[in-house]
């Protein structure tokens, strides 16, 4: 493997996590991970480390797992030593002042509240609660204001002192592993680490050890059926087994072998059979290797299936098919042919892998250093070293019906689940497995003749030759085909020199945007095309040939990457299925129901609803998700879909980009195959790839809507400023401005004002129209959205003052940091492809945009940047505020007690036609006196119909 390194990065893993939380302070390990970042004795500024990194093009993050905590950062190479010193102080002498402790509890609580509406978190919390009393799995790992502030005060527990005590006990050098990556010499790196980290205290105490707490789920409550009411209104089945810990068998990886088979989507496998019956849409099997799934006390093996409506009605038969497949695997035993096939695929990928981002790479390595011997630090988590049928058989024989836990999520359970999980409020019920199935599974039930092992994989690459170029080398893609039916861009890789390639295409069909009905039919078409491809293309997928079909705003995106040897085979397969598209009525019905759920899920998420509302205001003729939801409720049939598909295939413009280990002659064959197989006509004019954008009025407008999930306290406020039609210079200035804004925004709105866990500024390019925004995700139990908007305004005032008083040195440091980021070498071919594909997709073709932006930055002045910001701060600025308002007492104070009554009911017991709440209309809310000067938007179409339209705009100069 040859690596090209851009940023320098470091990561530290400590062998302590949430399992070590004291019983009287749930969430303390997670809270400490937050607190150590808030200043040190040597560098006391609360946000000093973040400010230092932002100034020098860096970033940082941390995460707490069950038995490990990881801290990581990256920065420009020049500043690595100083960054290491500042970072190490968190483990040498963190400040953790009492005032900061009180404030940061709110950030932890906000993170917990944001986690509440996610079904994956709710399932984990419910599942962990099934562990034996006293086992750490039953602890509440997140922590919130109740466990870290309110209850400790009532019980006279000093959280501040207990944090310091936890830090002294567990943040000890002998629990830590460190990985550093940089272009510095190894001698330099070792010297710096020794000098700086020698001061990290070592208390010599034995590390936390939970390995004696085996079989945590060996309880009567485990082997039962749990019915759960989900947030997302989907039908999902999860069958789980708690096995002895498997980490020590990393050289064999038995669970990886079993999950590869149970999750296989080819002929003879579980999902193949379920899809034929129209009972399931997706299946994932195995162990995620997160601390929750795998630790020193157990390893989870689970099979998670997304069910159709019909699959939900037959869920016991779905479970039976899974058990039949497992019984077949147990009867035939581990297969050396299959193991060696997986081994070969993993070895190919490891040998030719592309470099990760340095910050992710070091995080991975420092954790591996806790898990594997030195010789396997780089490969222990990726390779299958040795076939051992006994080691594979041991967990395989334990996957029996008698030891399985069954979780069934469905909106149909609403009103029938009397129990509530303590921390996330998940409604559930518990029942014994019915006697009919218990008796069936206890006996020697017959195998299913439709279930068998997968055949040999024809997509595994065997030719890794680097091809000789058939045209001159270029720094940027060149056009090798350009006619009325398509355009193809090509660049032969001469930098990374790996036998892989990327192929991307957009199939433009302007009629898609004619109606919301067309967009729904387009979504159905892409979903069913993916369904039709799932089985024949699955072998390619597991052989590291990735493909994705995606419905874009103006056409179909097809993306492929992987070993170039078999990539043409995969593209031909996709185009063949596109040319010969058909569907059965039961498959069509299954995806109609699934899309209803998908649209519903988008609409009940505050961030997705906020984006949908903002773009509906800004982009002319953009159809909202709500309009698509209405359209799918109409009576659509297979004939409608086939008429749409035939029209789609009749008239297209196909544009593509090929990069990697192909010649230009081979690349041309890709586009020729589209033209020959689809036999499409050219459109009369080249289709648009952007929307036209509304010019906002020179005044403040507010669009304030109610969240569509009554159980969700989360709100989102985005304040957007529209700059207008600008050239490359202003777009680069905006990027620099937002970079200046990031750390002060975090410090003001999160650290000081504790408004929420997520606060961030963004540079906005809306179909070529420039702007910026500041977003805060908060909770209605703590703050009203109007109050939050007031704080955003206060931040922008203080930021303006800061910009006016900015020193020349601080300005130049930030400019240099942005230049260095843009000069960073790509760590993998995919980064270059992403950049070039953006130019192709938007039909701007400024492939050397980075160089042009660097030239702008070299001659930009502080006064120019300050003036640019101040232009947005006049009373006549084009300002749009979007509020999505959650449910909580702070909003009731603003809107009165009728807030909840203005919301649609999430369930309508009188109607059996749909399991969903009413998300078919937006509920516009009034503003409080604080925002009385803002003009309210209560009818989006009426508002936008009076606005001027910007022409199509590309950023070329």
């Amino acid at each position: 493997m040859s690596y090209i390194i851009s940023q320098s990065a470091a990561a530290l893993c400590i062998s302590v996590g949430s399992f070590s939380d004291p019983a009287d302070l749930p969430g303390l390990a997670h809270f400490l991970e937050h607190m150590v970042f808030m200043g040190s004795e040597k560098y006391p500024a609360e946000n000093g480390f973040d400010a230092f990194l932002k100034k020098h093009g860096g970033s940082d993050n941390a995460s707490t797992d069950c038995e490990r905590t990881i801290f990581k950062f990256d920065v420009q190479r020049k500043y690595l030593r100083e960054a290491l010193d500042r970072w190490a102080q968190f483990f040498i002498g963190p400040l953790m002042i009492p005032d900061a402790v009180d404030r940061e509890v709110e950030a932890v609580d906000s993170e917990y509240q944001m986690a509440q509406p996610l079904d994956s978190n709710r399932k984990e919390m419910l599942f962990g609660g099934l562990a034996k009393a006293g086992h750490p799995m039953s602890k509440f790992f997140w922590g919130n204001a109740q466990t870290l502030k309110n209850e400790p005060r009532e019980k006279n527990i000093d959280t501040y002192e207990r944090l310091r005590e936890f830090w002294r006990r567990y943040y000890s050098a002998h629990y830590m592993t460190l990985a550093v990556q940089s272009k510095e010499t190894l001698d330099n790196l070792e010297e710096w680490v020794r000098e700086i980290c020698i001061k990290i205290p070592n208390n010599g105490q034995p590390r936390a050890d939970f390995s004696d707490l085996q079989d945590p789920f060996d309880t009567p409550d485990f082997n039962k059926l749990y019915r759960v009411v989900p947030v997302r209104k989907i039908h999902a089945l999860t069958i789980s087994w708690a096995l002895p810990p498997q980490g020590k068998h990393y050289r064999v990886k038995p669970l990886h072998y079993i999950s590869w088979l149970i999750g296989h989507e080819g002929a003879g496998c579980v999902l193949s059979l379920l899809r034929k019956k129209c009972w399931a849409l997706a299946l994932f099997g195995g162990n995620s290797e997160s601390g929750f799934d795998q630790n020193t006390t157990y390893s989870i093996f689970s099979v998670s299936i997304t069910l159709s409506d019909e699959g939900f009605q037959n869920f016991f038969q779905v479970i039976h098919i899974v058990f039949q497949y497992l019984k077949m695997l147990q009867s035939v035993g581990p297969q050396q042919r299959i193991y060696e096939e997986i081994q070969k695929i993993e070895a190919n990928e490891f040998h030719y892998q592309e470099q990760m981002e340095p910050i992710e790479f070091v995080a991975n390595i420092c954790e591996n250093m806790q898990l594997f011997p030195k010789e396997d630090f780089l490969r222990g988590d990726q390779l299958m070293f040795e076939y051992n049928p006994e080691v594979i058989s041991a967990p395989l024989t334990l996957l029996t019906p008698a030891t399985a836990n069954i979780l069934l999520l469905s909106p149909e359970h609403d009103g029938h689940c009397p129990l509530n999980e303590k921390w996330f409020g998940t409604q559930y019920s518990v029942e014994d497995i019915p006697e009919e199935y218990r008796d069936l599974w206890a006996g020697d039930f017959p195998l299913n003749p439709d279930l068998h092992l997968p055949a040999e994989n024809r997509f595994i690459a065997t030719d890794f030759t680097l091809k000789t170029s058939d045209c001159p080398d270029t720094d940027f893609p060149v056009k090798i085909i350009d006619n009325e039916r398509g355009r193809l861009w090509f660049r032969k890789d001469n930098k990374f020199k790996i036998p892989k390639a990327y192929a991307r295409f957009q199939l433009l069909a302007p009629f898609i945007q004619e109606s919301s009905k067309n967009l729904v039919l387009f979504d159905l078409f892409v979903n069913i095309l993916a369904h039709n491809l799932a089985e024949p293309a699955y072998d390619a997928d597991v052989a590291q040939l990735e493909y994705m079909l995606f419905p874009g705003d103006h056409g179909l995106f097809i993306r492929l990457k992987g070993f170039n040897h078999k990539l043409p085979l995969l593209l031909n397969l996709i185009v063949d299925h596109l040319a010969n598209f058909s569907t059965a009525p039961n498959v069509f019905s299954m995806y109609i129901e699934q899309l209803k759920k998908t649209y519903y899920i988008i609409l009940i998420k505050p961030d997705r609803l906020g984006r949908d509302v903002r773009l509906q205001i800004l982009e002319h003729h953009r159809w909202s998700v709500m309009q698509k939801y209405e359209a799918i409720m109409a009576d659509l049939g297979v004939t409608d879909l086939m008429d749409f598909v035939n029209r789609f295939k009749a008239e297209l413009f196909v544009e593509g980009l090929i990069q990697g280990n192909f010649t230009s002659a081979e690349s041309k064959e890709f586009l020729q195959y589209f033209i020959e197989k689809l036999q499409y006509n050219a459109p009369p004019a080249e289709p648009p790839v952007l929307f036209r954008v509304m010019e906002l009025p020179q005044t403040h407008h507010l669009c304030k809507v109610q969240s569509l999930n009554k159980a969700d306290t989360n709100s989102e406020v985005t304040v957007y400023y529209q700059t207008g039609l600008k050239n490359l210079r202003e777009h680069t200035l905006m990027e620099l401005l937002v970079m200046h804004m990031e750390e002060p925004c975090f410090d003001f709105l999160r650290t000081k004002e504790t408004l929420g866990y997520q606060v961030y500024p963004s540079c906005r390019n809306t179909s070529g129209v420039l702007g910026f925004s500041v977003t805060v995700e908060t909770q209605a139990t703590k703050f009203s959205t109007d109050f939050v908007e007031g704080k955003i305004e206060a931040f922008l005032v203080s930021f303006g003052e800061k910009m006016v008083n900015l020193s020349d040195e601080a300005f130049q440091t930030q400019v240099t940091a942005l230049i260095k980021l843009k000069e960073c070498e790509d760590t993998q071919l995919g980064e270059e492809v992403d950049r070039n594909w953006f130019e192709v997709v938007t039909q701007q073709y400024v492939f050397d945009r980075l160089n042009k932006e660097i030239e702008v930055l070299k001659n930009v002045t502080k006064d120019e940047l300050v003036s640019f910001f101040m232009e947005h701060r006049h009373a006549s600025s084009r300002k749009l505020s979007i509020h999505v308002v959650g449910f909580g007492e702070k909003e009731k104070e603003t809107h009165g007690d009728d807030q909840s009554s203005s919301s649609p009911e999430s369930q309508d017991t009188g109607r059996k036609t749909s399991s969903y709440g009413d998300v078919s209309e937006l509920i516009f809310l009034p503003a409080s006196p604080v925002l009385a000067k803002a003009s309210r938007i209560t009818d989006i179409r009426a508002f936008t119909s009076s606005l001027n339209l910007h022409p199509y705009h590309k950023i070329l100069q």
Side-chain angles (χ1 to χ4, degrees), residues 138-195:
S138 59
K139 291 181 176 181
F140 173 52
F141 300 151
W142 290 87
N144 60 14
Q146 178 189 340
T147 67
L148 295 168
K149 185 166 77 173
N150 304 336
E151 286 181 4
R153 277 183 186 160
E154 290 166 14
K155 297 174 182 175
N156 291 317
I157 295 169
D158 186 343
T159 305
Y160 167 70
E161 186 46 50
R162 294 288 290 280
L163 272 170
R164 300 199 75 85
E165 186 183 304
F166 193 94
W167 178 84
R168 285 191 295 268
R169 168 66 182 87
Y170 294 112
Y171 278 42
S172 175
H174 68 306
Y175 297 167
M176 298 177 179
T177 46
L178 173 71
V180 185
Q181 178 174 322
S182 177
K183 281 186 171 178
E184 294 292 340
T185 66
L186 285 175
D187 287 347
N188 268 358
L189 291 177
E190 187 175 350
E191 183 187 327
W192 294 352
V193 168
R194 285 184 185 280
E195 260 179 49

Side-chain angles (χ1 to χ4, degrees), residues 208 214 312 324 334 378 383 386 491 497 519 528-529 563 628 652 679 687 773 827 831:
Q214 302 286 302
F312 170 69
Q324 285 180 311
L378 294 176
L383 293 179
E386 58 200 41
R491 180 166 183 257
K497 296 181 171 59
L519 284 169
I528 294 172
L529 178 60
F563 292 111
K628 286 162 73 171
L652 290 170
Q679 295 288 310
S773 65
T827 55
E831 292 175 355

Side-chain angles (χ1 to χ4, degrees), residues 565-720:
H565 181 203
K566 298 294 178 85
L567 207 62
L569 203 61
L570 176 59
L571 182 79
N572 293 356
L573 184 71
I574 292 169
V575 177
D576 290 348
H577 275 76
L578 179 58
N580 303 314
F581 179 86
S582 65
T583 186
N586 56 348
V587 173
F588 176 82
S589 300
M590 177 169 76
Y591 278 96
I592 282 273
E593 288 307 313
Q594 188 59 22
L595 263 185
K596 288 177 186 175
K597 297 179 176 80
T598 301
Y599 296 155
Y600 180 89
I601 288 162
I602 291 170
L603 289 167
I604 64 169
K605 290 181 176 177
D607 58 331
R608 299 294 297 273
L609 180 61
R611 178 183 183 275
D612 199 44
V613 169
R614 176 171 53 82
L615 292 182
Q616 203 186 342
I617 292 170
L618 292 175
E619 293 185 330
H620 186 53
H621 281 326
R622 173 178 279 279
W623 298 94
S624 70
V625 178
M626 195 169 274
Q627 288 166 319
K628 286 162 73 171
Y629 186 76
E630 285 177 36
I632 202 170
M633 291 301 182
D635 191 20
L636 296 175
V638 175
T639 308
D640 295 308
L641 178 62
M642 292 312 298
D643 289 347
F644 173 90
V645 173
N646 291 332
R647 189 178 170 195
F648 176 85
K649 291 190 293 184
E651 195 175 276
L652 290 170
F653 186 82
V654 179
E655 186 157 19
L657 169 69
I658 310 288
Q659 279 195 237
N661 192 35
F662 279 123
T663 63
S664 66
E666 289 169 329
S667 299
K668 288 176 183 176
E669 292 171 12
F670 281 84
L671 184 56
Q672 294 300 345
Y673 198 76
F674 274 103
I675 294 169
E676 288 164 18
K677 283 299 290 189
L678 296 178
Q679 295 288 310
Y680 60 88
N681 295 317
E686 199 165 307
V689 291
L690 302 168
F691 290 98
R692 290 182 67 187
V693 177
M694 300 294 179
E695 182 181 41
L696 290 175
Q698 290 180 296
T699 181
H700 181 196
H701 278 78
L702 166 68
C703 187
K704 186 173 180 179
V705 301
Q706 182 74 68
S707 168
L708 298 175
N709 179 2
K710 283 183 71 176
D712 195 353
T713 64
N714 292 292
S715 301
E716 185 187 75
V717 178
T718 294
V719 179
Y720 166 78

Side-chain angles (χ1 to χ4, degrees), residues 482-532:
D482 191 7
N483 58 46
E484 73 280 359
R485 292 203 285 181
R487 188 180 297 126
L488 186 65
W489 298 85
F490 165 77
R491 180 166 183 257
K492 170 85 171 70
D493 172 50
N494 52 21
K495 178 180 178 183
F496 295 93
K497 296 181 171 59
I498 52 171
K500 292 184 176 181
Y502 288 73
R504 295 188 178 178
F505 292 92
Q506 61 172 344
L507 283 62
L508 293 170
F511 85 98
I512 291 167
Q513 283 288 346
E514 284 176 4
S515 66
S516 55
K517 176 185 175 182
N518 277 6
L519 284 169
V520 169
L521 290 168
F522 186 37
D523 285 345
L524 281 167
F525 166 47
V526 178
N527 273 276
I528 294 172
L529 178 60
H531 170 91
N532 294 347

Side-chain angles (χ1 to χ4, degrees), residues 243 258 326 330 390 392-400 403:
L243 307 171
I258 301 167
L326 286 168
Q330 289 157 356
E390 289 76 26
I392 296 169
S393 290
L396 181 58
T397 56
L398 297 174
L399 302 178
T400 63
T403 53

